Amino acid sequence: MKALVYHGPGRKALEDRPKPEIRASSDAIVKMVKTTICGTDLHILKGDVPTCTAGRILGHEGVGIVDAVGAGVTAFKPGDHVLISCISSCGKCEYCRRGMYSHCTTGGWILGNEIDGTQAEYVRIPHADTSLYPIPNGADEEALVMLSDILPTGFECGVLNGKVAPGSTVAIVGSGPIGLAALLTAQFYSPAEIIMIDLDDNRLGLARQFGATQTVNSKDGKAADAVKTLTGGRGVDTAIEAVGVPATFLLCEDLVAPGGVIANIGVHGQKVDLHLERLWAHNIAITTRLVDTVTTPMLLKTVQSKKIDPTRLITHHFKLDKILDAYDTFGRAAETHALKVIIAA
Amino acid sequence: MKALVYHGPGRKALEDRPKPEIRASSDAIVKMVKTTICGTDLHILKGDVPTCTAGRILGHEGVGIVDAVGAGVTAFKPGDHVLISCISSCGKCEYCRRGMYSHCTTGGWILGNEIDGTQAEYVRIPHADTSLYPIPNGADEEALVMLSDILPTGFECGVLNGKVAPGSTVAIVGSGPIGLAALLTAQFYSPAEIIMIDLDDNRLGLARQFGATQTVNSKDGKAADAVKTLTGGRGVDTAIEAVGVPATFLLCEDLVAPGGVIANIGVHGQKVDLHLERLWAHNIAITTRLVDTVTTPMLLKTVQSKKIDPTRLITHHFKLDKILDAYDTFGRAAETHALKVIIAA
Amino acid sequence: MKALVYHGPGRKALEDRPKPEIRASSDAIVKMVKTTICGTDLHILKGDVPTCTAGRILGHEGVGIVDAVGAGVTAFKPGDHVLISCISSCGKCEYCRRGMYSHCTTGGWILGNEIDGTQAEYVRIPHADTSLYPIPNGADEEALVMLSDILPTGFECGVLNGKVAPGSTVAIVGSGPIGLAALLTAQFYSPAEIIMIDLDDNRLGLARQFGATQTVNSKDGKAADAVKTLTGGRGVDTAIEAVGVPATFLLCEDLVAPGGVIANIGVHGQKVDLHLERLWAHNIAITTRLVDTVTTPMLLKTVQSKKIDPTRLITHHFKLDKILDAYDTFGRAAETHALKVIIAA
Amino acid sequence: MKALVYHGPGRKALEDRPKPEIRASSDAIVKMVKTTICGTDLHILKGDVPTCTAGRILGHEGVGIVDAVGAGVTAFKPGDHVLISCISSCGKCEYCRRGMYSHCTTGGWILGNEIDGTQAEYVRIPHADTSLYPIPNGADEEALVMLSDILPTGFECGVLNGKVAPGSTVAIVGSGPIGLAALLTAQFYSPAEIIMIDLDDNRLGLARQFGATQTVNSKDGKAADAVKTLTGGRGVDTAIEAVGVPATFLLCEDLVAPGGVIANIGVHGQKVDLHLERLWAHNIAITTRLVDTVTTPMLLKTVQSKKIDPTRLITHHFKLDKILDAYDTFGRAAETHALKVIIAA
């Protein structure tokens, strides 16, 4: 079968690989229908993710059709249309029972990382009963690709951890795909203000279309002042970090009001300065989270009931045999204005 | 009247000052019965608290008897025995209505800081109806001095923010008075383990008497390893920072288990390194808080029903005219083994 | 001044009464601008509210302008435009500190009940600092009349107690003004389905305009079956009772899914049967609440940011000297299609 | 093997039955070491539980040793010492993912009810990975029999649902085994008062030994007055119903303070009167729950760390071949003073 294979930092290829087989009784083999590329895949290609070694098929998102199941799988059978979660969870370990699927002792984020992933014609899914979701009849399958990772990540790490509430004020630092996913799902809770902050005016324009009530271009280094002005000097109840570098986290420290939350989504490569000499008395919380995908059933219901339209995040379409073009388009997002690209198997 | 007055960094004196008078209709004048000294008073004397200027009477804790009330005070009358909260709250502003009395727009921590405090024969208490608490008949008033600041601080900033729960594991970094206050109140929730960490073996011995299930002397720089060993490699569900320096906060970053909380109590004078390159995916929360004293009624009930004995924190007694000796004893705690000192007016 | 006075069951009159005066230092006198009539006023007129005695000026809702304040009032001054809460709260007692303003030991629902109310040219408001809210510049004051009682009641007793959540299913039994207030505010949380149930097709049509995703006319006695069909046999996550008679509460018992909530808003005049022989094992909660109006600041923000338009509840306008006509119109709502009627002073 | 078999209302026998076998890949066969009898077993014998049909082996509690496992079982192997949960949960269905194991679509309370149970030499446990718990080395296995049902039931349905908190007041109506289990686990949260109510002075004496701060014998019909007196006229924050008849539920309605919770544990056979004409405005919650056993890991930690001693509930010991005597002793608890009886296989 065709698969996009990582060959070490900076190197990838579309090549032929054997079709995966059932290894454990809880496995399923899924024939991919649509997948996509994540910012994390670009991190892997930069060599930032040491758990992902050369020879790995990339990809941890997508929808497909069950091709085969192990003896212990009871919730799915061949032919079922399924949504693949980026997080594999056994449903049995201490962490899974607490709803922390991200820290499953035999799962977590392993797809397209420690085991072969979804940018291929077939993928093996461990712990299938608790890592796949049935696709309702008549659902827009392309929309559901956004539920593998990006929407639960924006929602769980940003919106839920950030305690967004009716009438509250929210700032989202970073208007890329994940910041926009937080923007879309924040609106489930009817905050009074969502202020979107980025360096790129095009992305800020998009943010306004997606529901931001205010946008701030931070290239002048005065974003904190601008937000203070917009909030009557208070700062925001929720500051969502959706970039992953020290400067944007520091901006969140400046934005958050007393009693507020800094909800980190960004994947950070280095430490940041935490200004406790000021914040110790501000009654704030800072949260971190690798998405658990515990809200996937909830998000499916919001999509089915049309409370959210995930297809707004999709900008480009490719066939699997053109996946190198898809990577190119996604990697030059500032020029191509790509958000999420769909790759059809 | 006699009062302990701050005269700038390193300088204080017991001197005669005029008795305070009612200034606003919500004020009360309280005749002090017993007060105490807080670690924060030592910070002021080092010059670390710029809001506290020369000429200020120090002290923000104590019990007393109402001497006079303003026209708007309805909950208290002269002769009432009262507990003084370290936090003044109007009960009306946005923050007070949210239970964040620490950020009251006309109150907060002002006693012995921005206005004259309790280390005197009399004190003026603004917003008296919502900043004083009636002392139940027959209560041990000396015990209640511990409810002005230290017990609510340990409980709210450490135990409640840290989400201590039955069967959970807790580490408290710092076995001084505030760490011990967290230790006492953590036991309200029956955690399985409370590991106390300090550099001073005497204080660790005290911690074991106060209910710590394990103690770790951190002077060898291997406290994190020791805690990992004690917790089967997991780390703790709750790490309470009760010192206020970068090294102890960093230790908390090393101790906290995935899904856990770092609850900061310490007053920090400088920034700390936050290792987001590791913690971004650990599903943790970091909380900061200036005590709100919203739990004072709850704590009063636990004292009255003998679920906690605050007098265990009291090591020394002085008369007000010997308050300079009290400061000396409290300031040399490593030698004197002082925790809280009671000063009788 | 003119005032609508209750004279015992079935009797009311518009008559001249002396203008109220400041009695306590926390009082304010408010010149009424706009008020309205509540379903509870009709209950009083039926003789159902024994705490309301003959001679009482009715009304507990409205907006106005501060005319005079007592010596202890600090948050308001004459000339301020204010929203009057139906609940008077001292902000000091045990219940107020817990956010249960409805049970304030010297307040609660007393306006137009135990003390004279707002259907007059002037009203005395006790505990003014914590029972009035400043009206932001440029706000639509008529819209804010809906924030005195009906919107916080629908929101707190129905939506918050009912734990409405993104993707959840909600049934609201009763499509009168209070049921519609619950319907409007439930949408703050983006539930997947809101099923509105009533006997009156006109009101159900209105419900669909206001955002109901499904409506069920219950006159055939088969509403529970209809809801089960609409929810795949499960029942609803949240059943909101917005009528106040045994039959509608029983319907909620039949509608609620395992793990769900029955949130009662209705004012009940008699006991109901609770079928614990079936429900003991269903993991449900039943909640009751007299509105606390703790969410008034939050609701003000949602109105100011246009997340909700309360004027949709307003169907008729009258002058104060025509308030008897207003009562007549409101009392014959089935014919007049009245929801809320505005009465201008 | 020997087994206690139900033969229809009033009829049971100890007889020989074939040893159970693995039927599904997620099954385990457990060799019983110790089991016990539950009040629910007596209900079955009265014919009150229609899902339990003649020919069924009774029992849903106990500890044992794994004898065999199906192909899909990964968490256990033959020889493992295990605690059996009274609730079987698949860990995969919508309810299990929400932590409502009691409503598992292929599990729930089925042991000794819809499938053969634990009062036998061997038992088949479905969904073994998520329905058994490993027994830590050195644990007191007899103590852990109390974790199959009675302690999680008292804790989840009574204490957690009842929101018992430090300093709060609790009343428990019914001082039988389940009420005493609630009493023991309520103390995890350090309430100020736990008032135990029963008709039997012996059981009330036991309650005082187990930690009740007050006891009330309700045979004079004045228990509500007594509790009001003990609580300064307020009533209690938490009223736990641990009997299951209308009179005791009505008593809870009379006991609960504004803002409080009635947490039902009792298994009810008939409807009760809910006095909404009084309670609609009292801001209370009423909760029902079939135990989910989600707290079993937490409870195991509290037992291991000696925060609770479950053996205090154990009054008698029998061998399996004397189980009819055990039933007789347990059934005449008023005379025998039996709480829980241990039956050794």
Side-chain angles (χ1 to χ4, degrees):
Chain A
M1 65 172 190
K2 280 175 288 186
L4 191 281
V5 181
Y6 170 65
H7 287 294
R11 298 170 57 208
K12 63 180 180 297
L14 181 66
E15 54 192 57
D16 263 310
R17 290 285 288 266
K19 184 180 159 186
E21 294 176 359
I22 298 288
R23 293 192 201 170
S25 67
S26 63
D27 283 354
I29 304 300
V30 176
K31 182 179 193 322
M32 294 303 301
V33 173
K34 292 173 197 280
T35 185
T36 182
I37 305 172
C38 180
T40 311
D41 295 323
L42 302 186
H43 276 291
I44 291 173
L45 283 163
K46 283 187 195 147
D48 287 352
V49 182
T51 46
C52 185
T53 52
R56 177 72 59 239
I57 300 174
L58 296 183
H60 49 267
E61 301 169 273
V63 294
I65 299 170
V66 175
D67 183 65
V69 295
V73 174
T74 60
F76 299 99
K77 60 182 189 310
D80 286 351
H81 288 237
V82 290
L83 164 65
I84 299 167
S85 176
C86 65
I87 298 295
S88 303
S89 66
C90 73
K92 304 172 181 181
C93 71
E94 178 195 346
Y95 287 113
C96 283
R97 285 176 186 238
R98 290 168 56 189
M100 271 179 67
Y101 302 170
S102 59
H103 286 70
C104 173
T105 53
T106 58
W109 174 43
I110 53 174
L111 265 190
N113 175 8
E114 300 178 30
I115 64 171
D116 285 337
T118 59
Q119 292 169 5
E121 289 179 78
Y122 291 89
V123 64
R124 181 179 68 89
I125 302 293
H127 304 313
D129 276 341
T130 38
S131 306
L132 297 174
Y133 292 86
I135 295 184
N137 283 334
D140 175 353
E141 298 200 355
E142 190 161 304
L144 298 192
V145 175
M146 304 298 110
L147 266 65
S148 288
D149 179 343
I150 192 162
L151 281 176
T153 297
F155 185 54
E156 294 178 10
C157 307
V159 176
L160 288 186
N161 272 10
K163 296 186 192 299
V164 176
S168 74
T169 54
V170 180
I172 301 174
V173 182
S175 188
I178 188 63
L180 292 169
L183 171 59
L184 286 174
T185 53
Q187 295 171 69
F188 287 151
Y189 291 98
S190 310
E193 299 286 346
I194 311 180
I195 304 164
M196 208 79 185
I197 303 168
D198 202 288
L199 294 162
D200 178 337
D201 282 329
N202 169 63
R203 288 191 153 179
L204 292 175
L206 211 54
R208 284 191 295 273
Q209 290 171 34
F210 278 40
T213 58
Q214 303 280 351
T215 55
V216 173
N217 189 310
S218 54
K219 71 182 160 215
D220 63 0
K222 296 182 181 167
D225 293 344
V227 170
K228 286 289 170 73
T229 302
L230 289 169
T231 55
R234 278 182 77 254
V236 294
D237 300 310
T238 304
I240 296 176
E241 206 282 347
V243 179
V245 299
T248 47
F249 193 88
L250 281 167
L251 179 54
C252 289
E253 294 183 28
D254 288 338
L255 297 179
V256 68
V261 183
I262 299 174
N264 186 77
I265 310 179
V267 177
H268 289 260
Q270 50 185 299
K271 70 181 180 185
V272 304
D273 288 340
L274 179 60
H275 286 286
L276 278 184
E277 79 279 14
R278 180 164 52 84
L279 296 171
W280 75 269
H282 277 218
N283 299 38
I284 65 159
I286 298 168
T287 62
T288 73
R289 189 169 183 177
L290 178 59
V291 65
D292 294 301
T293 66
V294 282
T295 61
T296 303
M298 173 191 270
L299 290 168
L300 261 167
K301 290 176 188 168
T302 65
V303 173
Q304 288 303 97
S305 61
K306 307 208 180 303
K307 300 301 170 199
I308 190 173
D309 177 6
T311 63
R312 301 176 73 181
L313 290 166
I314 300 169
T315 53
H316 296 75
H317 289 78
F318 297 88
K319 291 281 183 187
L320 180 57
D321 54 15
K322 297 291 184 192
I323 191 170
L324 294 174
D325 293 347
Y327 264 92
D328 178 68
T329 297
F330 184 67
R332 295 184 297 111
E335 296 158 59
T336 63
H337 295 178
L339 293 173
K340 292 294 279 184
V341 301
I342 288 287
I343 296 152
Chain B
M1 65 172 191
K2 281 174 287 187
L4 191 282
V5 181
Y6 170 65
H7 287 294
R11 298 171 54 207
K12 61 182 181 293
L14 181 66
E15 54 192 58
D16 262 310
R17 290 284 289 265
K19 184 180 158 185
E21 293 176 358
I22 298 288
R23 291 190 203 171
S25 67
S26 62
D27 283 354
I29 304 300
V30 176
K31 181 177 194 323
M32 294 303 302
V33 173
K34 292 174 195 281
T35 185
T36 182
I37 305 172
C38 180
T40 311
D41 296 321
L42 303 185
H43 276 291
I44 291 172
L45 283 163
K46 283 187 194 145
D48 287 351
V49 182
T51 47
C52 185
T53 53
R56 178 71 60 237
I57 300 174
L58 296 184
H60 51 266
E61 301 168 274
V63 294
I65 299 170
V66 175
D67 182 66
V69 297
V73 173
T74 59
F76 299 99
K77 60 181 189 309
D80 286 351
H81 287 237
V82 290
L83 163 67
I84 299 167
S85 175
C86 66
I87 298 294
S88 304
S89 66
C90 73
K92 304 172 180 180
C93 71
E94 178 196 345
Y95 287 113
C96 284
R97 285 174 186 242
R98 290 167 56 189
M100 270 178 67
Y101 301 170
S102 60
H103 286 70
C104 173
T105 54
T106 59
W109 175 42
I110 55 175
L111 266 189
N113 174 7
E114 300 178 29
I115 65 172
D116 285 336
T118 59
Q119 293 169 5
E121 290 178 78
Y122 291 87
V123 64
R124 182 180 67 90
I125 302 293
H127 305 313
D129 276 342
T130 37
S131 306
L132 296 174
Y133 292 87
I135 294 183
N137 282 334
D140 174 353
E141 298 200 354
E142 191 162 301
L144 298 191
V145 175
M146 303 299 110
L147 266 64
S148 288
D149 180 343
I150 192 162
L151 281 177
T153 297
F155 184 54
E156 295 179 10
C157 306
V159 177
L160 288 186
N161 272 11
K163 297 187 193 299
V164 176
S168 74
T169 54
V170 180
I172 301 175
V173 182
S175 187
I178 189 64
L180 292 170
L183 170 60
L184 286 174
T185 54
Q187 294 172 69
F188 288 152
Y189 292 100
S190 309
E193 299 286 345
I194 310 180
I195 304 165
M196 208 78 185
I197 302 168
D198 202 287
L199 294 162
D200 178 337
D201 281 328
N202 170 63
R203 288 191 154 179
L204 292 175
L206 212 53
R208 284 190 295 272
Q209 290 171 34
F210 278 38
T213 57
Q214 303 280 350
T215 56
V216 173
N217 189 311
S218 54
K219 70 183 161 214
D220 63 0
K222 296 181 181 167
D225 294 343
V227 171
K228 286 288 170 74
T229 301
L230 289 169
T231 55
R234 278 181 77 253
V236 294
D237 300 311
T238 303
I240 296 177
E241 206 283 344
V243 179
V245 300
T248 46
F249 193 87
L250 281 167
L251 179 55
C252 289
E253 295 184 29
D254 289 336
L255 298 180
V256 68
V261 183
I262 299 174
N264 186 76
I265 309 179
V267 177
H268 290 260
Q270 50 184 300
K271 71 182 180 185
V272 303
D273 288 340
L274 178 60
H275 287 285
L276 278 183
E277 79 280 12
R278 180 165 52 86
L279 295 172
W280 75 267
H282 278 218
N283 298 36
I284 64 159
I286 297 167
T287 62
T288 73
R289 188 169 183 177
L290 178 58
V291 65
D292 294 301
T293 66
V294 283
T295 61
T296 303
M298 173 191 270
L299 290 169
L300 262 167
K301 290 175 189 168
T302 64
V303 173
Q304 287 304 95
S305 61
K306 308 209 180 301
K307 301 300 171 199
I308 190 173
D309 176 7
T311 63
R312 300 176 74 180
L313 291 166
I314 300 169
T315 53
H316 295 75
H317 290 78
F318 296 88
K319 292 280 182 187
L320 179 58
D321 54 16
K322 296 291 183 192
I323 190 168
L324 294 174
D325 293 346
Y327 264 93
D328 178 67
T329 296
F330 184 67
R332 295 185 298 111
E335 297 158 60
T336 63
H337 295 178
L339 294 173
K340 293 294 280 186
V341 302
I342 288 287
I343 297 151
Chain C
M1 67 171 190
K2 280 175 288 185
L4 191 281
V5 180
Y6 170 65
H7 287 295
R11 299 171 54 208
K12 63 180 181 294
L14 181 67
E15 53 192 55
D16 263 310
R17 290 284 288 265
K19 183 180 161 186
E21 293 176 359
I22 298 288
R23 291 191 203 171
S25 66
S26 63
D27 283 353
I29 305 300
V30 175
K31 182 179 193 319
M32 294 304 301
V33 173
K34 291 173 196 281
T35 185
T36 182
I37 305 172
C38 180
T40 310
D41 295 322
L42 303 185
H43 277 290
I44 292 172
L45 283 163
K46 283 186 194 147
D48 288 352
V49 182
T51 47
C52 185
T53 52
R56 178 71 60 238
I57 300 174
L58 296 183
H60 50 265
E61 301 168 274
V63 295
I65 299 170
V66 174
D67 182 66
V69 296
V73 174
T74 60
F76 298 100
K77 60 180 189 310
D80 287 351
H81 287 236
V82 291
L83 164 65
I84 299 168
S85 176
C86 66
I87 298 295
S88 303
S89 67
C90 72
K92 304 172 180 180
C93 71
E94 178 195 346
Y95 287 112
C96 283
R97 284 175 187 241
R98 290 167 57 189
M100 270 178 67
Y101 300 170
S102 59
H103 286 70
C104 174
T105 54
T106 58
W109 174 44
I110 53 174
L111 265 190
N113 174 8
E114 299 178 29
I115 65 172
D116 284 337
T118 59
Q119 292 169 6
E121 289 179 78
Y122 292 87
V123 65
R124 181 179 67 89
I125 302 293
H127 304 313
D129 276 342
T130 37
S131 307
L132 297 174
Y133 292 87
I135 295 183
N137 283 333
D140 174 353
E141 299 200 354
E142 192 161 303
L144 298 191
V145 176
M146 303 299 110
L147 266 65
S148 288
D149 180 343
I150 192 162
L151 281 177
T153 296
F155 185 54
E156 295 179 10
C157 307
V159 176
L160 288 185
N161 271 10
K163 298 187 190 299
V164 177
S168 73
T169 54
V170 180
I172 301 174
V173 182
S175 189
I178 189 63
L180 293 169
L183 171 60
L184 285 174
T185 54
Q187 294 170 70
F188 288 152
Y189 292 98
S190 309
E193 299 286 346
I194 310 180
I195 304 165
M196 208 79 185
I197 302 168
D198 203 287
L199 293 162
D200 178 336
D201 281 329
N202 170 64
R203 287 191 155 179
L204 291 175
L206 211 53
R208 283 190 296 272
Q209 290 171 35
F210 278 39
T213 57
Q214 303 281 351
T215 55
V216 172
N217 190 311
S218 53
K219 69 183 161 213
D220 63 1
K222 297 182 180 166
D225 293 343
V227 170
K228 286 289 170 75
T229 302
L230 289 169
T231 55
R234 279 182 76 253
V236 295
D237 300 311
T238 303
I240 297 177
E241 205 283 345
V243 179
V245 299
T248 47
F249 192 88
L250 280 168
L251 179 55
C252 289
E253 295 184 29
D254 289 337
L255 296 179
V256 68
V261 183
I262 299 174
N264 185 77
I265 310 179
V267 177
H268 290 260
Q270 50 184 298
K271 70 182 180 183
V272 303
D273 288 340
L274 178 60
H275 287 285
L276 279 183
E277 79 279 13
R278 180 166 50 85
L279 295 171
W280 75 268
H282 277 218
N283 298 38
I284 65 159
I286 297 167
T287 62
T288 73
R289 187 169 183 176
L290 178 58
V291 65
D292 295 301
T293 65
V294 283
T295 61
T296 303
M298 173 191 270
L299 290 168
L300 261 167
K301 290 176 189 168
T302 64
V303 173
Q304 287 304 97
S305 61
K306 308 209 181 302
K307 300 301 170 198
I308 189 173
D309 177 7
T311 63
R312 300 176 73 181
L313 290 166
I314 300 169
T315 54
H316 295 75
H317 289 79
F318 297 87
K319 291 281 183 186
L320 180 57
D321 54 15
K322 297 289 183 192
I323 190 169
L324 294 174
D325 293 346
Y327 265 92
D328 178 67
T329 297
F330 184 67
R332 294 184 298 112
E335 297 158 58
T336 63
H337 295 179
L339 294 173
K340 292 294 279 185
V341 301
I342 288 286
I343 296 151
Chain D
M1 65 173 191
K2 280 175 288 187
L4 190 282
V5 180
Y6 170 65
H7 286 295
R11 299 172 54 208
K12 63 180 180 294
L14 181 66
E15 53 193 57
D16 263 310
R17 289 285 289 264
K19 183 180 161 186
E21 292 176 359
I22 298 288
R23 293 190 202 171
S25 67
S26 62
D27 283 353
I29 304 300
V30 175
K31 182 177 192 323
M32 294 304 300
V33 172
K34 290 173 196 281
T35 185
T36 182
I37 306 172
C38 181
T40 311
D41 296 321
L42 302 186
H43 277 291
I44 291 172
L45 283 163
K46 284 187 196 146
D48 286 352
V49 182
T51 47
C52 185
T53 52
R56 178 71 60 238
I57 300 174
L58 296 184
H60 49 267
E61 301 169 273
V63 295
I65 299 170
V66 174
D67 182 66
V69 295
V73 174
T74 60
F76 298 100
K77 61 180 188 311
D80 287 352
H81 287 237
V82 291
L83 164 65
I84 299 168
S85 176
C86 65
I87 298 295
S88 304
S89 67
C90 73
K92 305 172 179 180
C93 72
E94 178 196 345
Y95 287 113
C96 283
R97 285 176 186 240
R98 290 167 57 189
M100 270 178 68
Y101 301 170
S102 59
H103 286 70
C104 173
T105 54
T106 57
W109 174 42
I110 53 174
L111 265 190
N113 173 9
E114 301 179 28
I115 64 172
D116 284 337
T118 59
Q119 292 169 5
E121 289 180 77
Y122 291 88
V123 64
R124 183 180 66 89
I125 301 294
H127 304 313
D129 276 343
T130 37
S131 306
L132 296 174
Y133 292 86
I135 294 184
N137 282 333
D140 174 353
E141 298 200 354
E142 191 161 302
L144 298 192
V145 175
M146 303 299 109
L147 266 65
S148 287
D149 180 344
I150 192 163
L151 281 177
T153 297
F155 185 54
E156 295 179 10
C157 306
V159 176
L160 288 186
N161 271 10
K163 296 187 191 300
V164 176
S168 72
T169 54
V170 180
I172 301 175
V173 182
S175 188
I178 189 63
L180 292 169
L183 171 60
L184 285 174
T185 54
Q187 295 171 68
F188 288 152
Y189 292 99
S190 310
E193 298 287 346
I194 310 180
I195 304 164
M196 208 77 184
I197 303 167
D198 202 286
L199 294 163
D200 178 338
D201 282 329
N202 170 64
R203 288 191 153 178
L204 292 175
L206 212 54
R208 284 191 295 272
Q209 290 171 34
F210 278 39
T213 59
Q214 303 280 351
T215 56
V216 173
N217 189 310
S218 53
K219 70 183 161 214
D220 63 0
K222 296 181 181 166
D225 293 343
V227 170
K228 286 290 170 73
T229 302
L230 289 170
T231 56
R234 279 182 77 253
V236 294
D237 300 310
T238 304
I240 296 178
E241 205 284 345
V243 179
V245 299
T248 48
F249 193 88
L250 281 167
L251 179 56
C252 289
E253 294 184 30
D254 288 337
L255 297 180
V256 68
V261 182
I262 299 174
N264 186 76
I265 310 179
V267 176
H268 290 260
Q270 49 184 298
K271 71 182 180 186
V272 303
D273 287 340
L274 178 60
H275 286 286
L276 279 183
E277 79 280 12
R278 179 166 51 85
L279 296 172
W280 76 268
H282 278 218
N283 297 39
I284 64 158
I286 297 167
T287 62
T288 73
R289 188 169 182 177
L290 178 58
V291 65
D292 295 301
T293 65
V294 283
T295 61
T296 303
M298 173 190 270
L299 290 168
L300 261 167
K301 290 176 189 168
T302 64
V303 173
Q304 288 304 96
S305 61
K306 308 208 180 300
K307 301 301 171 197
I308 189 173
D309 176 7
T311 62
R312 300 176 74 180
L313 290 166
I314 300 169
T315 52
H316 295 75
H317 289 78
F318 297 87
K319 291 280 181 186
L320 180 57
D321 53 17
K322 299 288 183 191
I323 190 168
L324 294 175
D325 294 345
Y327 264 92
D328 178 68
T329 297
F330 185 66
R332 294 185 298 113
E335 296 159 60
T336 63
H337 295 179
L339 294 173
K340 292 293 278 187
V341 301
I342 288 288
I343 297 151

